[in-house]
Amino acid sequence: MDARKLKIEAAAVALTYVDDGMRLGIGTGSTAEEFVRLLAAKVAGGLTIIGVPTSERTAQLCRELGVSLTTLDETPELDLTIDGADELDGTLSLIKGGGGALLREKIVAAASNKMIVIADETKVVETLGRFPLPIEVNRFGLEATKIAIIKASADLGLAGPIALRLKEGEPFITDGGHYILDASFGSIPDPKTLSCALYAIPGVVEHGLFLGLASAAIIAGVDGIRTLTV
Ligand code: 5RP
């Protein structure tokens, strides 16, 4: 079965959690985009929801497909967020930010009563860290922030290349106007401690460890769909 079909299957199950009148956080990435397409078809059929997009890219797709949008300022409390992930473990700790939208994704998820992750089986890991951890940093003081991240992670026994994310040869700029450092630490046995250490660095705007935010994950694999909950 191809990867896109699995994403569509996970997205279709997620759609069954969407009720009429819901205030919905709408994720970013190729899996979330499949969800938007299915959601748009339901909206065309009469479903009424209002969405808060987690990126400009998602906002554009929603507009193109006729999904009504609002902002978190107008609607600061959401019923449900559906989003993809780059990696998830059995406790529903996540790595996100492969698409560069981690800051808005985390703000939207935190403003939601419930976050459901949609992913294919390849995203499930025993221990987080196979996927490089995206760390969104202020453009000011990039090198100093990078050195601080190296020191803080070394104190936790973590090491590995930390690369400035590029797009078409230029630094990738997030929707918030920041850079992203992708940290290839390898296995992250204690995500909570790493999270706290990264938050303590002034130039770090946000990081891609999503801990205690997701309450369910819909995982599509060749053998079918399974739902993980915590
Ligand atoms: C964007 C994200 C995405 O949810 C994550 O990268 C997964 O994307 P995809 O569904 O394309 O694999 O965190 O910032």
Side-chain angles (χ1 to χ4, degrees):
M1 194 182 292
D2 68 40
R4 179 163 182 223
K5 201 152 181 243
L6 294 179
K7 291 173 189 184
I8 294 171
E9 285 186 358
V13 174
L15 194 60
T16 66
Y17 290 82
V18 177
D19 294 327
D20 206 51
M22 268 190 170
R23 303 158 297 176
L24 217 54
I26 306 178
T28 295
S30 57
T31 317
E33 283 172 10
E34 299 301 349
F35 173 75
V36 172
R37 289 189 189 96
L38 297 177
L39 177 68
K42 277 269 189 188
V43 166
L47 178 78
T48 303
I49 59 98
I50 189 83
V52 172
T54 53
S55 64
E56 295 303 325
R57 174 176 149 189
T58 294
Q60 190 182 330
L61 183 65
C62 288
R63 281 188 215 106
E64 283 167 13
L65 297 179
V67 174
S68 299
L69 297 179
T70 183
T71 65
L72 213 46
D73 292 326
E74 285 168 4
T75 311
E77 289 179 19
L78 304 176
D79 300 299
L80 172 65
T81 285
I82 308 282
D83 202 349
D86 298 299
E87 217 170 71
L88 66 146
D89 70 12
T91 68
L92 298 189
S93 293
L94 318 174
I95 287 182
K96 286 186 51 56
L102 63 152
L103 175 59
R104 291 190 189 183
E105 287 174 331
K106 199 176 279 188
I107 293 170
V108 169
S112 302
N113 290 337
K114 189 177 170 79
M115 178 194 192
I116 298 178
V117 174
I118 46 177
D120 62 74
E121 195 71 55
T122 63
K123 306 286 186 67
V124 182
V125 294
E126 274 290 316
T127 307
L128 296 180
R130 188 180 64 195
F131 192 90
L133 178 67
I135 305 171
E136 185 157 348
V137 296
N138 202 290
R139 283 194 257 179
F140 180 86
L142 173 67
E143 281 309 310
T145 302
K146 184 174 167 181
I147 289 168
I149 293 170
I150 291 169
K151 284 183 180 160
S153 51
D155 286 347
L156 301 176
L158 299 171
I162 298 181
L164 178 65
R165 189 178 298 184
L166 301 177
K167 187 180 178 187
E168 292 158 8
E170 296 296 322
F172 174 86
I173 309 287
T174 68
D175 285 344
H178 308 121
Y179 289 149
I180 289 185
L181 293 170
D182 289 304
S184 298
F185 292 136
S187 180
I188 301 172
D190 185 354
K192 177 81 189 148
T193 302
L194 177 60
S195 169
C196 293
L198 292 174
Y199 281 138
I201 299 169
V204 170
V205 176
E206 191 48 87
H207 60 70
L209 290 166
F210 282 49
L211 309 177
L213 286 169
S215 53
I218 298 163
I219 310 297
V222 284
D223 297 328
I225 297 272
R226 61 190 175 113
T227 301
L228 304 178
T229 53
V230 283

